[in-house]
Amino acid sequence: MRQLSLFDTSDEPEEAKVDSARREHGRPTLGEAPAAGSPPGLSEADGSSRLRAATDGGYAQSRVASSAAGDRPFAQAIMRPSGRKSLLDGADFIATQTLVQGSTSDRLSESERSHSETSPGTLPASILAATPSPDVRSLAQSLAHALENALYLGTSSWSFPGWSGLIYGQPSGKSNLSQQGLPAYAQHPLLRSVGVDSGFYAPLDSARLARWAAQVPPGFRFLVKAPALITDRFRRAAHGRPAGTNPSFLDAEHALDIAVGPFLEGLGDKAGVLLFQFPPVGRDGSTEPRRFAEALYRFLKRLPKGPTYAVELRDRPLLTPDLAAALHHGGAVPSLALHPRLPPLPTQLSLFDAYRADGPLVVRWLLRRNRRYAEARERYAPFDRLCEPDPIARHDLADAVIAALGERRPVFVIANNKAEGSAPLTLIELARQLADVRNHSA
């Protein structure tokens, strides 16, 4: 049996299955890789010259915290022409709807992802920000240089009524916070980012992202999840059961249309990280680590250069040196997750240690190691206090942040309420530990 090199670009059985499914839906196949010397992109047989042009278009900004405001013409150029039907019309829309009905062990509850499902309106301002405590102001002052230049702390979404007094100045319901809470959230002196998880369940259009971008100050950066339509190998039935092969899995052209383009055009200079999170594969053994790394590499190479792409997994067996090499050569960075399905943070860091200089450190602190998601949600609601502090995880994370800042790398840390009980308080305690280290080393 022929041994495949890590970046072998010939067709493989799994890719052939995807191509076959794409033909059934009337969509072009990915085709062969370009010949040596050609710009990375899809083959001419795909009718994908637009993607190739975008990939080879000289968009050479370094992969740091954001794309520059002057790069908007590029973003507009790669968006589909006005009047063209979305790739989510017809069969693809049905596939997306099937995907978002599924559930995985770490998916958000319906209510917790509603903030991004609701149109935020135009520059709402009726919710007041909470007055930061003297302690929080002192922490922000101590970390001012890092916060102004490289450190992006944020939470997974912003619409939690339990944050009254922490983030918001008065009690408000989830729906109201969903539509009007972002400007108040962005006034918190430690929070310069937010994670938008709902993009995983349904694509976010550029108009919605632009409205959010208009509600936050300069220097704020968004971390946005790309749709599961791109990262889930399967279409999903009720309760997350696989319902057949997903024809859009690792489809670079589709990702350009429903993820990369809107991310750049909508957020402009506030585009921070576009996250490709791959849901758990489960126990069927259908994803062989080396083949997955090869397919991921080919996908990443077909995306336009410029944005910071991050990749996050939920399966330990896929965390291999082949994966680290695929991200490095494909132009992406790992998103390291503090999650029970994955090794501790220091173990994950060691896998990617040789490629630290590739771009930002991206870490999402999602769930305590001894809890399941639903269990943590029930125990910790309404998310207004630290119910189960995790000093070991916080120490590991603080060490990683300090090391990255010392290397002059941007750092994104997104905290979930299910990490310790309250995402804002988790980040305040992390900031306290960072400030202590700074003060002791001064």
Side-chain angles (χ1 to χ4, degrees):
M1 181 175 180
R2 182 171 64 94
Q3 291 294 316
L4 296 170
S5 67
L6 176 58
F7 305 121
D8 190 336
T9 53
S10 61
D11 288 342
E12 298 181 44
E14 199 61 44
E15 186 171 0
K17 293 178 185 178
V18 175
D19 283 350
S20 175
R22 287 168 59 81
R23 291 189 189 99
E24 290 177 9
H25 285 270
R27 302 208 47 209
T29 66
L30 288 179
E32 300 288 339
S38 300
L42 302 181
S43 68
E44 291 295 337
D46 296 333
S48 304
S49 57
R50 178 170 53 88
L51 175 58
R52 177 175 296 178
T55 309
D56 194 41
Y59 188 81
Q61 175 203 349
S62 63
R63 294 174 180 276
V64 291
S66 67
S67 38
D71 293 323
R72 275 188 175 276
F74 167 82
Q76 294 164 356
I78 66 174
M79 290 298 293
R80 55 178 175 268
S82 177
R84 175 182 167 187
K85 286 189 175 182
S86 165
L87 288 176
L88 294 180
D89 290 341
D92 281 346
F93 178 77
I94 294 172
T96 303
Q97 294 299 92
T98 303
L99 276 167
V100 303
Q101 291 169 4
S103 64
T104 62
S105 63
D106 62 335
R107 70 172 295 167
L108 299 175
S109 70
E110 190 71 28
S111 61
E112 286 172 320
R113 59 187 173 88
S114 65
H115 80 275
S116 296
E117 307 286 341
T118 306
S119 176
T122 304
L123 293 175
S126 64
I127 294 181
L128 299 176
T131 300
S133 68
D135 177 50
V136 168
R137 289 186 181 277
S138 176
L139 288 174
Q141 184 176 4
S142 179
L143 297 173
H145 180 75
L147 289 168
E148 291 171 4
N149 294 282
L151 181 58
Y152 299 90
L153 303 178
T155 65
S156 293
S157 87
W158 64 81
S159 57
F160 295 96
W163 292 358
S164 176
L166 292 173
I167 302 297
Y168 305 112
Q170 75 270 25
S172 290
K174 178 174 284 289
S175 177
N176 199 29
L177 292 173
S178 163
Q179 299 181 50
Q180 303 183 46
L182 181 57
Y185 169 96
Q187 290 182 49
H188 193 282
L190 292 175
L191 302 181
R192 300 181 62 238
S193 184
V194 71
V196 181
D197 292 327
S198 67
F200 183 78
Y201 303 98
L204 301 170
D205 60 60
S206 60
R208 177 174 302 198
L209 293 170
R211 287 194 295 270
W212 286 335
Q215 296 174 27
V216 299
F220 193 95
R221 299 290 182 267
F222 289 83
L223 181 148
V224 179
K225 278 191 183 181
L229 187 63
I230 304 301
T231 60
D232 196 336
R233 181 181 296 277
F234 303 106
R235 292 180 292 113
R236 299 285 174 176
H239 307 295
R241 290 190 299 270
T245 299
N246 172 19
S248 291
F249 179 65
L250 291 181
D251 181 335
E253 183 186 7
H254 206 170
L256 182 65
D257 256 357
I258 69 173
V260 181
F263 176 75
L264 291 173
E265 184 182 36
L267 296 177
D269 60 352
K270 293 167 184 171
V273 176
L274 182 59
L275 175 63
F276 294 98
Q277 183 209 312
F278 291 80
V281 173
R283 300 179 181 179
D284 63 1
S286 62
T287 301
E288 195 276 322
R290 191 176 183 83
R291 287 186 184 276
F292 174 79
E294 291 172 346
L296 179 61
Y297 163 75
R298 290 195 296 272
F299 167 76
L300 293 170
K301 287 296 287 185
R302 290 164 176 165
L303 298 181
K305 296 180 180 179
T308 295
Y309 302 118
V311 172
E312 184 176 300
L313 306 180
R314 285 289 183 276
D315 295 282
R316 290 179 184 235
L318 298 182
L319 297 178
T320 64
D322 285 344
L323 173 71
L327 298 186
H328 170 68
H329 293 288
V333 298
S335 173
L336 308 175
L338 279 70
H339 190 281
R341 293 183 62 96
L342 299 173
L345 182 60
T347 304
Q348 295 183 57
L349 285 165
S350 66
L351 177 64
F352 302 99
D353 186 65
Y355 307 121
R356 293 194 310 276
D358 285 356
L361 172 68
V362 180
V363 182
R364 297 203 309 144
W365 191 354
L366 301 175
L367 183 60
R368 215 175 191 281
R369 300 197 68 81
N370 63 329
R371 298 295 178 202
R372 300 175 75 81
Y373 194 87
E375 176 190 23
R377 183 175 62 241
E378 182 178 350
R379 281 176 170 266
Y380 299 163
F383 313 120
D384 58 354
R385 61 191 179 91
L386 292 184
C387 301
E388 290 187 284
D390 190 345
I392 295 177
R394 186 182 304 113
H395 180 272
D396 289 343
L397 179 53
D399 281 353
V401 170
I402 291 165
L405 292 176
E407 296 167 346
R408 301 185 181 277
R409 298 168 59 197
V411 175
F412 288 82
V413 176
I414 302 296
N416 194 291
N417 283 325
K418 287 62 175 192
E420 298 182 300
S422 176
L425 293 177
T426 287
L427 293 174
I428 288 172
E429 290 306 310
L430 175 64
R432 193 186 317 281
Q433 190 154 349
L434 296 175
D436 286 346
V437 172
R438 178 191 177 279
N439 292 336
H440 290 152
S441 60

